[in-house]
Amino acid sequence: MLASYIGISSLNSSCFPPRPCFAKRKPFAVSAAMSDDPISDWILSEGNATRITRTSPIGGGCINNARRYDTDAGSFFVKTNRGIGPSMFEGEALGLGAMYETRTISVPRPFKVGPLPTGGSYIIMEFIEFGASRGNQSVLGRKLAEMHKAGKSEKGFGFDVDNTIGSTPQINTWTSDWIEFYGKHRLGYQLKLALDQYGDSTIYQKGKRLVKNMAPLFQNIVIEPCLLHGDLWSGNISSDKNGEPVILDPACYYGHNEAEFGMSWCAGFGGSFYNAYFEVMPKQPGFEKRREIYLLYHYLNHYNLFGSSYRSSAMSIIDDYLLMLGV
């Protein structure tokens, strides 16, 4: 949820193949062995470096620690978390890898995930040099749509592993029906979490009633599983030094493409973004009526993560839909 990647080495739409110094690196892997310094060990072996010249801390996140590693083979971006095992970073790496393989929009390429000897875990990835701005909104919209169009799944809706949305578990069990998936593994999960965490039976009961009756919102449209970033807000969007958009810190899964706009309330998407997006992925009937059903998932998650200041937004969306649907 909160950005924890700030990068420096260049990647743009014309250089998706690994740069020369990365050419012999193996695809993303999970570490099975343990050493006193597994991060440096990987950089100095499979990372093709012979010398680490500098490491420096990087700010920007509230969940993980981040450092830049400068070497004679280029720079790496490393995130560590002393309290969580490798599963969280494995989910992130698989998501980054899936987006990278679409060859559409720039993402930092993941290289290695493993445990730390004193507890916790790490992820090593490509370091991207960011530009001075978030880049062109229309280019972002077009490239995001191209990723959605290219990233398809024959397994249905979900992902190969569960991952996290911020620090909240995100369940990605493969499901053939989108309404069932979204109702159970997105809205239903968050509603149950609010009940368990706050004893909020009102939002739980009303929310469950919405889930049970939301099918009319999806009538007369085609819903195909598209690869989603899953947590696309302004902190997870940047541009490289050439102005090409970069997206990072994903919570990937395959879902309805419209669900990608669920964090639009703090993403700053403008008209040029949506116009460019819909030129590639045409807007479907009822889009405006469904917009807030996708905002709801993220408002509920913010409520569960950060407390009651987000409850009223979630409750308002639920009440409006119950009135609209006549239930």
Side-chain angles (χ1 to χ4, degrees):
M1 167 175 302
L2 297 175
S4 52
Y5 180 101
I6 296 182
I8 104 154
S9 197
S10 170
L11 173 72
N12 59 41
S13 60
S14 64
C15 64
F16 279 106
R19 297 190 301 272
C21 65
F22 292 157
K24 295 181 181 179
R25 290 177 189 152
K26 296 179 180 179
F28 156 69
V30 178
S31 175
M34 183 72 72
S35 73
D36 291 336
D37 188 357
I39 297 169
S40 295
D41 286 353
W42 186 91
I43 290 172
L44 294 171
S45 56
E46 295 181 65
N48 297 329
T50 61
R51 185 165 53 95
I52 297 172
T53 57
R54 183 180 65 172
T55 69
S56 51
I58 297 171
C62 66
I63 297 174
N64 306 301
N65 294 315
R67 297 190 73 85
R68 168 186 172 179
Y69 280 66
D70 293 324
T71 80
D72 58 354
S75 296
F76 297 85
F77 178 74
V78 178
K79 291 197 295 189
T80 58
N81 190 303
R82 298 289 176 178
I84 300 176
S87 62
M88 180 180 71
F89 287 144
E90 288 168 13
E92 178 178 354
L94 287 170
L96 287 170
M99 293 191 297
Y100 181 90
E101 288 302 318
T102 67
R103 299 298 198 270
T104 53
I105 191 167
S106 296
V107 300
R109 185 185 181 198
F111 293 128
K112 186 72 170 180
V113 169
L116 291 168
T118 56
S121 55
Y122 68 89
I123 179 172
I124 304 172
M125 65 184 83
E126 182 175 17
F127 214 100
I128 297 176
E129 183 174 359
F130 286 169
S133 72
R134 290 178 58 206
N136 186 294
Q137 286 250 322
S138 62
V139 176
L140 173 64
R142 176 174 55 82
K143 287 184 173 289
L144 184 66
E146 289 171 351
M147 185 184 84
H148 290 167
K149 194 170 185 177
K152 300 296 185 182
S153 168
E154 296 180 355
K155 298 179 181 179
F157 302 97
F159 202 55
D160 284 333
V161 298
D162 295 338
N163 48 28
T164 56
I165 181 77
S167 58
T168 306
Q170 184 167 258
I171 308 304
N172 294 318
T173 305
W174 290 109
T175 308
S176 60
D177 181 78
W178 169 248
I179 299 174
E180 178 186 350
F181 176 87
Y182 191 68
K184 180 178 181 180
H185 298 308
R186 294 297 179 263
L187 298 183
Y189 186 90
Q190 294 285 348
L191 291 165
K192 184 62 164 58
L193 192 59
L195 179 66
D196 293 344
Q197 186 166 255
Y198 302 123
D200 195 335
S201 59
T202 300
I203 203 167
Y204 176 78
Q205 291 169 2
K206 286 189 171 185
K208 292 292 283 186
R209 182 154 34 115
L210 171 57
V211 168
K212 184 179 179 180
N213 293 279
M214 66 181 182
L217 298 171
F218 301 90
Q219 288 179 343
N220 303 317
I221 62 170
V222 176
I223 303 177
E224 296 181 336
C226 299
L227 179 62
L228 307 181
H229 174 282
D231 191 16
L232 202 61
W233 70 289
S234 59
N236 291 342
I237 303 168
S238 189
S239 64
D240 66 18
K241 65 180 183 181
N242 298 315
E244 293 291 324
V246 180
I247 57 177
L248 40 108
D249 277 0
C252 285
Y253 65 99
Y254 290 89
H256 187 197
N257 67 301
E258 294 175 9
E260 192 76 283
F261 309 134
M263 282 291 287
S264 60
W265 48 282
C266 55
F269 298 144
S272 62
F273 167 87
Y274 287 108
N275 290 338
Y277 180 89
F278 289 129
E279 285 180 3
V280 179
M281 293 284 288
K283 184 188 296 187
Q284 295 204 70
F287 170 77
E288 297 298 337
K289 289 184 178 180
R290 288 186 297 275
R291 288 188 73 159
E292 293 203 348
I293 203 74
Y294 293 130
L295 303 185
L296 179 58
Y297 172 57
H298 294 277
Y299 276 123
L300 286 169
N301 187 47
H302 276 63
Y303 174 34
N304 285 317
L305 284 174
F306 305 120
S308 60
S309 61
Y310 292 95
R311 184 185 186 277
S312 62
S313 296
M315 195 73 254
S316 177
I317 290 173
I318 293 171
D319 284 338
D320 286 347
Y321 273 119
L322 292 177
L323 181 62
M324 176 196 301
L325 295 166
V327 293

